[in-house]
Amino acid sequence: MLLTVTGTGPRSRARALAAALRAAVRDGTLPAGTRLPPSRELAADLRLSRGVVTEVYGQLLAEGYLTARQGAGTWVAELPGAVTVPPPAPPPRPHSGPPPTDFRPGLPDLSLFPRAAWSAAQRQALAQLPDAALDYPDPRGLPRLREELARLLARRRGVAVHPDGIVVCAGVSQALTLLARVLHARGHRRIAVEDPGSPPQAPLFAAAGLKTVGVPVDGEGVDVAALRATGVRAVVVTPAHQFPHGVVLSAARRSELLDWARSCGGLVVEDDYDGEFRYDRAPVGALQGLAPDQVAYTGSVSKLLAPALRLGWVVPPPALLEELVEAKRTADLGTSVPDQAALAAFAAGGRLDRQLRLCQRAYRARRDVLVAELTAAFPGLRVSGIAAGLHVIAEFPAAAGPRARLERAAAEAGVRLRHLDEYAISKGAPSLRLRYVLGYAHLREPVLRAGVRALAARL
Ligand SMILES: Cc1ncc(COP(=O)(O)O)c(C=O)c1O
């Protein structure tokens, strides 16, 4: 307890402690209902003899400031006019009726998080960490994790990287922040992003001093001619599964994009946010593998394990590496070492691969159910972006519209839909087309079925 107890002998220290406790009770620092520490602990904290503390507790009990409950310690008593600890809020009332079906994109099934295997990895990692590893970390990340990541990224994503070329960070979001700071320090003031894209990126880049410039996306991915016309020299793209359109960047566009980067000394930031979830054939390798000097590759465990872990990585072009490490050092002195060690142990035990297989099976089945239900319930509905990722785009037939009617019916059916317009970077007039982004990975099959059927029935 933060109490000031001065005095030379035991008598004057006891008087000072009693006065400090009375004042704390009266002014609400110690509200009624607060449990006081056992006399032995308070004595040790305040460097007093235990006898002084028991004497003071006895005195304040007699004065009515404190109460003692048999075997349950010493508590601050109710004093007229004194502050009371508020009673705990009542638990929220359980939701009645069917739960809403929220087709929020970008969310994995959090109930598939491998709690037992993750805690085992945490225990194993902590037991093996030497004391020295609990000091401030290397801002690049734990060497053991970087070695695991280098192997994994090379094998699964075709990323060309040495462990020393990886910087561990708090998800793709922090990777983008750090890259933005490096670019700003190098004189950049604008960064191009896909349009539609990820709206949270604009404030993230603005905080680093960069203005976002939207570049249109078509059926092959980002429009490189439009990118070239902006004159901007850095662009963030999602080649494996464009967010939110879901298109895979075509081979022709991949080489066009890398030609653009080489011709103007530009930087391509490859956000591989859900690149491993490809269902119908092997995932397309990362762009970075084709041009490590032009591409900064970034990814995280947010889709494979859980966003709450805040663990990710960035592989910048070698020329930016040292500046990026310094940006990471300045941002937070490095990522939590016990968390990094747990991820390293988890990956080394083959658990990341197993988790990917498990999630891929589950998400593919869910995608199939969603697509089948949608096309059965809404003849003429078109689905795209289904080859990969955790969401699809559904374009409802005109007969299901207009938009306001469809969206009202969805709300009444307990279905949360997000129109593609919500992801527009440059806002124009609302689109009349009924194109919605439907995340399905977090919804079990019966929920997906019930959601689509409830919407169809309401319409
Ligand atoms: C386009 C895109 N990139 C990246 C991420 C992941 O960010 P992070 O790794 O910081 O969790 C998301 C999250 O939903 C996203 O939508």
Side-chain angles (χ1 to χ4, degrees):
M1 283 205 294
L2 204 56
L3 293 172
T4 311
V5 179
T6 50
T8 43
R11 289 285 81 242
S12 68
R13 274 190 240 136
R15 271 198 303 278
L17 175 60
L21 282 172
R22 281 191 208 98
V25 172
R26 276 194 302 263
D27 70 14
T29 311
L30 290 176
T34 306
R35 186 179 181 172
L36 291 188
S39 54
R40 189 193 308 275
E41 280 179 26
L42 187 60
D45 276 358
L46 300 178
R47 293 170 200 240
L48 298 171
S49 75
R50 189 175 173 200
V52 165
V53 176
T54 44
E55 183 192 323
V56 169
Y57 277 9
Q59 174 71 29
L60 297 192
L61 280 166
E63 291 175 13
Y65 282 89
L66 305 180
T67 58
R69 298 180 200 162
Q70 194 61 42
T74 308
W75 303 69
V76 176
E78 298 274 354
L79 286 188
V83 180
T84 313
V85 177
R93 285 204 301 158
H95 177 80
S96 56
T101 308
D102 187 349
F103 285 101
R104 170 182 154 191
L107 189 62
D109 183 344
L110 301 177
S111 74
L112 295 181
F113 181 73
R115 288 175 189 255
W118 184 259
S119 352
Q122 276 181 317
R123 273 197 307 279
Q124 182 198 335
L126 205 53
Q128 289 174 354
L129 274 182
D131 290 347
L134 298 176
D135 198 350
Y136 288 103
D138 179 344
R140 284 165 211 267
L142 197 65
R144 205 177 139 220
L145 176 60
R146 287 187 279 117
E147 282 159 23
E148 287 297 335
L149 288 175
R151 268 197 292 274
L152 213 77
L153 295 176
R155 171 165 59 84
R156 291 218 303 231
R157 305 297 299 124
V159 173
V161 64
H162 182 271
D164 289 343
I166 298 182
V167 180
V168 178
C169 58
V172 169
S173 310
Q174 191 184 39
L176 297 180
T177 297
L178 301 178
L179 286 165
R181 288 189 190 165
V182 168
L183 291 172
H184 187 269
R186 288 181 160 226
H188 290 244
R189 293 296 175 265
R190 296 188 302 157
I191 186 158
V193 295
E194 294 166 322
D195 188 3
S198 188
Q201 284 179 1
L204 180 152
F205 286 128
L210 299 185
K211 185 175 177 325
T212 40
V213 177
V215 178
V217 174
D218 61 22
E220 286 192 71
V222 71
D223 178 342
V224 180
L227 168 65
R228 199 181 291 277
T230 64
V232 178
R233 285 186 305 112
V235 63
V236 186
V237 288
T238 46
H241 187 236
Q242 200 275 332
F243 187 85
H245 259 304
V247 292
V248 180
L249 191 68
S250 72
R253 287 289 167 83
R254 285 159 77 92
S255 63
E256 221 186 304
L257 185 61
L258 297 178
D259 284 347
W260 162 82
R262 287 191 194 97
S263 67
C264 68
L267 177 71
V268 176
V269 179
E270 176 171 22
D271 173 1
D272 202 25
Y273 72 107
D274 67 359
E276 295 185 301
F277 294 102
R278 171 108 183 179
Y279 304 113
D280 304 317
R281 44 193 171 104
V284 188
L287 264 185
Q288 189 271 1
L290 302 175
D293 292 333
Q294 274 75 41
V295 180
Y297 173 89
T298 172
S300 74
V301 298
S302 294
K303 309 295 184 225
L304 187 53
L305 291 173
L309 290 176
R310 309 311 304 135
L311 283 171
W313 44 86
V314 50
V315 182
L320 296 186
L321 179 63
E322 285 316 312
E323 288 156 73
L324 197 80
V325 172
E326 280 320 300
K328 173 65 180 167
R329 190 197 305 278
T330 312
D332 59 12
L333 301 181
T335 296
S336 154
V337 170
D339 290 349
Q340 293 189 66
L343 181 57
F346 192 81
R351 289 295 318 212
L352 268 182
D353 287 321
R354 210 185 305 171
Q355 182 70 9
L356 180 63
R357 285 195 297 274
L358 173 89
C359 292
Q360 267 193 329
R361 262 199 310 276
Y363 299 164
R364 189 196 159 121
R366 292 174 194 186
R367 177 202 68 165
D368 291 346
V369 165
L370 176 65
V371 173
E373 287 289 327
L374 282 170
T375 44
F378 298 94
L381 176 140
R382 285 203 318 235
V383 207
S384 55
I386 65 170
L390 313 181
H391 70 270
V392 296
I393 301 277
E395 177 155 11
F396 289 79
R403 251 183 87 172
R405 170 170 172 264
L406 174 59
E407 287 167 18
R408 194 167 352 101
E412 286 165 2
V415 171
R416 173 87 169 85
L417 291 180
R418 285 163 187 77
H419 194 274
L420 198 55
D421 273 359
E422 291 187 39
Y423 302 89
I425 302 300
S426 37
K427 300 279 181 206
S431 162
L432 299 179
R433 288 175 71 178
L434 305 174
R435 287 194 295 177
Y436 292 86
V437 183
L438 302 185
Y440 54 80
H442 61 299
L443 299 173
R444 288 175 183 260
E445 289 153 38
V447 180
L448 289 169
R449 275 197 198 94
V452 175
R453 291 180 188 183
L455 175 61
R458 194 81 210 172
L459 266 175

